[in-house]
Amino acid sequence: MTAKQFFKSQAFKCIVVLLSILLVCGILLTIFNSLFYVSAEEKFDRAVKKIYGKQVETVEIKLTDEFTTKFSNSSVSEAYKVVDDGNYLIKSTGKQGFGGDVTCWVVVRMDGNTVAGAGNIAIDKASGESYVSKIDKSELAQFSKIEYTDGFEYELGKDGKDFIATGASYTMRAISNAVNGAIAFVSVNSALITITGDDAQ
Amino acid sequence: MKNKYAKITLDGLIFNNPTFMLVLGTCPTLGLISSASSAAGMGLTVVVILTLSNILISAMRKIIPNAVRIPAYIVIIATLVTLARMVLEKLVPDLYDSLGGFLALIVVNCIILGRAEAFANKHNVLESAVDGLANGFGFTCALTVMGIVCEFLGNGSVFGLKIMNFTVGMFATPAGSFIIYGLSIALFTYIMDVFMRSRRVKENRLARENLLDKNPEGGAKELAAKEV
């Protein structure tokens, strides 16, 4: 096949059409991405509004290697001290979900310098969790209703029968892990958090 | 001309309803009908994407070579879905959260690819747009109705408003959705069957009367022969 034949062929037309469509789609996606990009600050503001119903003043706690975590099935990526009520807002990711991890914003309620349990919770990200929409506010509110004592861990099917009635029990297990991880993080690192938090203020 | 658009609309909404008659888009149907608002949100998102994809594919039907039409359709649909995701995440985050993974799965929703292949690449832009709207709203209505039933039985609420305390937990799960989906198909098919039968009877009666009016003797003989 000569070059002239190739440029006149159906194969060349197919390539040109597909590449043109890809190019136009790519340009459109780039424009829309710059217009509708949701920044990390905006996501944080949304989470705070979801939890508190209004914007509250927070102080970020810089996480360093000195902070330790008690659980291997959860990890903490961000931590804030809420100035308004003295509680902590922790971004914690729970493992063992249904095909993915669940990242939650967890309020850790404080009674003075001791942990008093979990407060409001908002789901931030749940990649691969197709039934995360089954878990509504009432399901998440169960954590704050359960009495907390030091060292306590939330466990599916043990602390309340409704924990497994969502149709999304794997996702709920990941959320439980995230909540346990957030509470353990604050209780294990309480001295460090207080010092760092006070410094930040 | 008017009849053509009416036929396309009625086909999409009722006679070839994608959910009840063609059983397309089953994955989001089963996944989302446990909540009426999620079901309606998914339906409306599909309306927008289906209409736009039908318009674009119809407009480009003479440019896209037959050999690469499916990859081209997939690229167009995937782009539209991604754009819809971006817009929803920015402007309607609650709906974006409630649709979860099913929003991305619209790319492989067989209603959209099915209409592109079966209708949009053979008809003009306006007809394709009407077809997209009709099929999209047919899908939305079906999902919303089943969503209302499932949410009412499973959570005792409709669109989040609590109505009763008695609930059957199973209907809040995909298993319950499957049962409601099956019953809905059975009911819709029964209603369509009754409607079509009565329409056939009416048409036959009119044809009989016309035949007898035009030629009373010959018509009667012809009818008798047909009945035999």
Side-chain angles (χ1 to χ4, degrees):
Chain A
M1 184 186 273
T2 62
K4 198 177 175 185
Q5 280 174 327
F6 173 72
F7 286 121
K8 280 186 176 176
S9 69
Q10 186 70 10
F12 179 69
K13 194 187 169 191
C14 290
I15 293 168
V16 169
V17 168
L18 271 181
L19 285 178
S20 307
I21 291 172
L22 282 173
L23 186 69
V24 172
C25 290
I27 292 168
L28 263 177
L29 286 170
T30 310
I31 294 168
F32 267 68
N33 189 44
S34 60
L35 285 175
F36 293 98
Y37 177 70
V38 184
S39 63
E41 291 81 24
E42 200 175 338
K43 279 184 184 170
F44 176 68
D45 288 345
R46 279 181 190 174
V48 168
K49 211 169 178 186
K50 212 185 266 184
I51 288 171
Y52 285 95
K54 58 176 183 177
Q55 289 302 331
V56 291
E57 197 184 335
T58 54
V59 178
E60 187 175 0
I61 298 162
K62 297 267 182 277
L63 299 183
T64 60
D65 293 339
E66 292 171 41
F67 290 95
T68 53
T69 183
K70 190 178 156 190
F71 294 106
S72 59
N73 51 15
S74 68
S75 61
V76 170
S77 53
E78 287 177 49
Y80 297 84
K81 179 159 187 155
V82 182
V83 177
D84 298 32
D85 55 13
N87 294 334
Y88 289 98
L89 184 57
I90 309 289
K91 189 178 183 181
S92 175
T93 301
K95 292 172 185 169
Q96 297 179 332
F98 184 76
D101 300 340
V102 181
T103 304
C104 301
W105 286 100
V106 183
V107 171
V108 179
R109 287 184 288 117
M110 300 297 289
D111 183 11
N113 281 333
T114 55
V115 174
N120 288 343
I121 295 157
I123 295 170
D124 178 67
K125 201 168 62 183
S127 54
E129 302 291 307
S130 46
Y131 287 144
V132 75
S133 60
K134 307 270 177 216
I135 297 162
D136 57 18
K137 275 182 183 174
S138 61
E139 305 291 345
L140 296 174
Q142 290 175 94
F143 288 97
S144 58
K145 288 175 190 160
I146 294 166
E147 203 176 325
Y148 176 85
T149 50
D150 192 30
F152 175 87
E153 284 172 31
Y154 295 99
E155 197 177 326
L156 277 184
K158 181 184 171 188
D159 311 311
K161 62 181 171 56
D162 286 345
F163 263 44
I164 51 170
T166 57
S169 49
Y170 282 92
T171 309
M172 207 61 188
R173 181 172 64 188
I175 294 171
S176 296
N177 288 337
V179 174
N180 286 331
I183 290 176
F185 177 82
V186 174
S187 59
V188 170
N189 302 296
S190 58
L192 209 55
I193 285 174
T194 309
I195 293 163
T196 319
D198 287 346
D199 283 352
Q201 284 176 59
Chain B
M1 182 67 94
K2 197 181 166 187
N3 271 348
K4 189 168 69 179
Y5 291 112
K7 189 184 176 302
I8 293 170
T9 308
L10 286 176
D11 271 353
L13 283 172
I14 301 167
F15 299 113
N16 281 327
N17 183 290
T19 310
F20 292 141
M21 299 303 282
L22 305 179
V23 199
L24 296 175
T26 308
C27 172
T29 304
L30 293 178
L32 290 168
I33 60 172
S34 54
S35 155
S37 48
S38 297
M42 167 55 86
L44 292 174
T45 312
V46 167
V47 171
V48 175
I49 293 168
L50 181 55
T51 309
L52 288 175
S53 78
N54 265 14
I55 289 172
L56 288 174
I57 287 163
S58 174
M60 296 198 294
R61 70 188 188 280
K62 286 173 185 164
I63 305 168
I64 300 171
N66 202 35
V68 291
R69 68 185 195 288
I70 299 293
Y73 297 164
I74 292 284
V75 171
I76 292 168
I77 294 165
T79 305
L80 289 171
V81 172
T82 312
L83 297 181
R85 285 188 70 184
M86 287 177 185
V87 173
L88 287 179
E89 190 180 8
K90 179 79 174 179
L91 304 178
V92 204
D94 288 340
L95 179 61
Y96 177 81
D97 290 341
S98 73
L99 295 181
F102 290 105
L103 190 54
L105 283 176
I106 296 177
V107 176
V108 286
N109 188 320
C110 43
I111 298 173
I112 297 173
L113 196 60
R115 293 323 292 170
E117 179 71 358
F119 196 94
N121 73 351
K122 296 184 187 83
H123 295 81
N124 66 36
V125 173
L126 191 59
E127 288 169 8
S128 300
V130 173
D131 180 73
L133 283 170
N135 276 280
F137 279 112
F139 179 66
T140 308
C141 291
L143 248 67
T144 310
V145 169
M146 289 190 289
I148 289 170
V149 175
C150 281
E151 193 182 332
F152 180 70
L153 295 172
N155 293 320
S157 60
V158 174
F159 286 105
L161 295 170
K162 198 79 181 166
I163 291 175
M164 63 172 187
N165 287 323
F166 173 75
T167 59
V168 185
M170 186 186 70
F171 289 107
T173 66
S177 303
F178 193 75
I179 291 170
I180 294 294
Y181 188 28
L183 291 174
S184 302
I185 290 174
L187 183 67
F188 192 82
T189 311
Y190 174 74
I191 292 168
M192 287 301 295
D193 195 37
V194 169
F195 172 76
M196 296 302 274
R197 207 178 299 163
S198 68
R199 200 163 80 163
R200 259 200 314 272
V201 168
K202 196 178 166 187
E203 280 172 2
N204 283 348
R205 199 180 62 230
L206 281 173
R208 182 191 288 256
E209 282 168 7
N210 281 342
L211 205 60
L212 287 172
D213 282 348
K214 281 179 192 167
N215 183 6
E217 282 183 20
K221 279 180 189 171
E222 201 177 314
L223 280 173
K226 269 186 184 173
E227 277 166 16
V228 168

